[in-house]
Amino acid sequence: MKKHGKLAQASFLSVLGVVTLFYIFIFGFNVEKKIIFDPFKENQPIEEFLVPKLKSGDFLSKDNMKISYWYINGDKNLPVVVYCHGNRQNMTYFQDRIKFLVENGYRVFMFDYRGYGSSE
């Protein structure tokens, strides 16, 4: 009788584990989309210090998705800083963070991740 009890308990725990994993995968992906991937599409106005040096445009990724970018011109003798913004906001929200670079002559390349700003 003890063998049947342990077998039933092991079976129950196995089924419980499978059901738990099922719920994690089903509900976990929905939670991820709401918490982690919540991109801002709205753009902030371009600040005055950027206007004369800013070139904005788009390029296509390998799978033909439009990716928006900014290139801020500067001193050709200084390196180009590739600025990858954080999660949630798009590149227009990070103008204050690149102001130091622009004012000191650095060239800056920024882009919006997929789904952010004007990127597809």
Side-chain angles (χ1 to χ4, degrees), residues 5-16:
K6 287 185 178 184
L7 182 60
Q9 185 180 14
S11 296
F12 173 76
L13 290 175
S14 296
V15 170
L16 181 63

Side-chain angles (χ1 to χ4, degrees), residues 42-89:
E42 302 83 26
N43 290 324
Q44 295 291 312
I46 297 172
E47 294 188 24
E48 289 297 319
F49 75 92
L50 283 178
V51 173
K53 300 178 180 188
L54 179 68
K55 176 187 173 195
S56 63
D58 304 308
F59 61 89
L60 292 178
S61 65
K62 285 185 178 183
D63 57 348
N64 290 322
M65 298 293 287
K66 181 185 81 165
I67 306 296
S68 299
Y69 72 88
W70 281 358
Y71 176 75
I72 297 104
N73 204 5
D75 186 344
K76 299 282 187 214
N77 295 318
L78 293 174
V80 176
V81 176
V82 178
Y83 189 91
C84 304
H85 64 75
N87 193 20
R88 191 149 169 102
Q89 285 102 358

